[in-house]
DNA sequence: TCTGGAAGTTACAGACCGGTAACACCCTAG
DNA sequence: CTAGGGTGTTACCGGTCTGTAACTTCCAGA
């Protein structure tokens, strides 16, 4: 993967892409800027010409990851135009596919765990992005004609968040193996009301 | 709190207690052994006389934390002897009380996020302890007379795990605010079947 | 009172961390 | 051809990290 990134693209893009990958795999505090620049086929000075600090790089990585997630959501709309319920089911399926055994979970949630300082600049960004995702899921539920859309969206959020973190503690055979069953059951029961 | 720990008890106990507290608050990679020993009112050499390494200390802390959690479970049995359903409700209440705004979530889950190396010695301990807790919740659900006890227990697990991590990303006003409502609703609906 | 082990103190090794300075290079736009 | 900006290279700073060595102090039990 690193090699793929190294092929000709701008150093800044390579750094951003490589950093996302390495932060995801090894954690934010588990990887240094030297390792990132080396894997990106560049050097530390170039990194610091494009990013103010490691914290700044972290924030840009989180924004980029969130943008990719938003693109996946857009794909649901493209695949099932107007059919919000189908989009909700597509979300469940897509999200469950990402619950693989070697999954490292949600980058934003992991970052919140690692960056325990309450005034860390990344924390407000994490909160913003997570709130935006929540809002999007709520309106998807609402537009799908579900009563108590907020409660369903929040329940699905917690289930997913829990599945992603449970995967990392006990693996894929743990409680997260039942995620699809739980989510589909919830949607059905909320629709039945 | 540190001062309370410093008062006369054995250095090993003070180190263990202080390390649990500091790992919980600042994360494992966010605190060094020097800081731990200083807060525990002792010194680094004494720490390394009682623990082989920082990794060893981490593992002992996780075991101690799990033992405290097990003691809380035992209290449910003492408060509602024989009444498993009451114990399940007590679990929901107790667990929700721990979802405070400044909560840092589950130490084991957080450790799994921080210690991304798949062969880290703490990972197998985390898996063991989490599986034991899962087993305990499953049998509580089963003995409470709930059909599909495994599914209910796993769903409650994921909800709780999700609530604890969501709290750290978006705070107490996020989806985790609805935890009790979700959990009680689930229990009721599983019992109704 | 003597003694042995636990605990404290100081200093250090070796590695890694984020971040910067100074300078050489290359490639493209004019 | 030339000028200049983006990039690469090397060396360095000060700090922090885990872990160890050598030595001193303290205290409880015989």
């Amino acid at each position: 993967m690193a090699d793929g990134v190294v092929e000709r693209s701008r150093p800044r893009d390579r750094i951003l892409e490589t950093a996302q990958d390495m932060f995801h795999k090894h954690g934010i505090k588990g990887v240094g800027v030297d390792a990132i620049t080396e894997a990106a086929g560049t050097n530390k000075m170039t990194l610091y010409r494009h990013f103010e600090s490691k914290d700044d790089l972290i924030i840009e990585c989180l924004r980029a990851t969130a943008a990719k997630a938003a693109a996946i959501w857009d794909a649901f709309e493209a695949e099932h135009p107007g059919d919000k319920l189908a989009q909700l089911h597509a979300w469940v399926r897509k999200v469950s596919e990402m619950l693989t055994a070697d999954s490292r979970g949600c980058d934003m949630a992991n970052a919140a765990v690692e960056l325990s300082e309450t005034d860390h600049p990344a924390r407000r960004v994490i909160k913003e992005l997570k709130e935006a995702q929540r809002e999007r899921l709520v309106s998807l539920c609402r537009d799908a004609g579900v009563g108590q859309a907020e409660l369903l969206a929040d329940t699905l959020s917690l289930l997913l968040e829990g599945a992603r973190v449970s995967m990392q503690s006990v693996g894929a055979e743990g409680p997260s193996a039942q995620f699809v069953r739980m989510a589909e059951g919830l949607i059905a029961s909320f629709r039945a009301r």
Side-chain angles (χ1 to χ4, degrees), chain A:
Chain A
M1 129 114 229
D3 285 357
V5 171
V6 167
E7 59 180 77
R8 279 321 98 188
S9 56
R10 287 210 168 83
R12 188 182 195 281
D13 298 333
R14 273 148 43 200
I15 290 169
L16 203 55
E17 206 69 28
T18 307
Q20 282 178 71
D21 183 56
M22 295 184 76
F23 285 154
H24 177 76
K25 283 184 186 154
H26 312 296
I28 289 175
K29 298 198 179 178
V31 53
V33 292
D34 269 318
I36 293 171
T37 55
E38 189 188 336
T42 177
N43 57 78
K44 200 156 50 167
M45 269 315 301
T46 300
L47 186 153
Y48 280 102
R49 285 190 191 107
H50 289 289
F51 303 93
E52 286 184 8
S53 62
K54 185 184 180 182
D55 284 348
D56 184 37
L57 174 62
I58 291 167
I59 290 172
E60 292 306 312
C61 283
L62 292 174
R63 287 197 199 281
T65 304
K68 287 179 185 174
I72 293 178
W73 281 74
D74 293 338
F76 297 150
E77 173 64 39
E79 286 168 23
H80 310 279
D83 188 348
K84 299 296 181 180
L85 185 59
Q87 292 178 32
L88 187 56
H89 287 299
W91 177 83
V92 172
R93 187 172 42 78
K94 181 70 181 178
V95 137
S96 68
E97 284 169 4
M98 290 168 150
L99 292 176
T100 60
D102 60 339
S103 168
R104 279 269 303 153
C106 171
D107 289 341
M108 282 178 288
N110 290 356
V113 168
E114 282 200 85
L115 309 176
S116 56
E117 309 95 326
T118 51
D119 61 341
H120 193 289
R123 294 194 72 90
R124 67 186 313 271
V125 176
I126 293 169
K127 194 174 179 187
E128 279 173 19
L129 297 172
K130 276 282 182 191
E131 279 170 352
Q133 290 183 358
R134 181 194 189 191
E135 201 48 51
R136 189 150 184 178
L137 186 58
V138 167
S139 38
L140 185 55
C141 288
R142 184 160 28 228
D143 296 345
V146 178
Q148 303 189 99
E150 290 85 359
L151 187 58
L152 174 58
D154 284 350
T155 310
L156 291 175
S157 284
L158 292 196
L159 279 183
L160 173 58
E161 210 81 81
R164 294 200 272 205
V165 69
S166 167
M167 187 91 51
Q168 296 180 71
S169 321
V170 289
E173 287 77 31
S176 60
Q178 305 296 324
F179 173 77
V180 174
R181 198 171 156 195
M182 298 171 188
E184 290 297 346
L186 268 172
I187 295 172
S189 105
F190 268 73
R191 269 168 48 82
R193 294 182 201 177

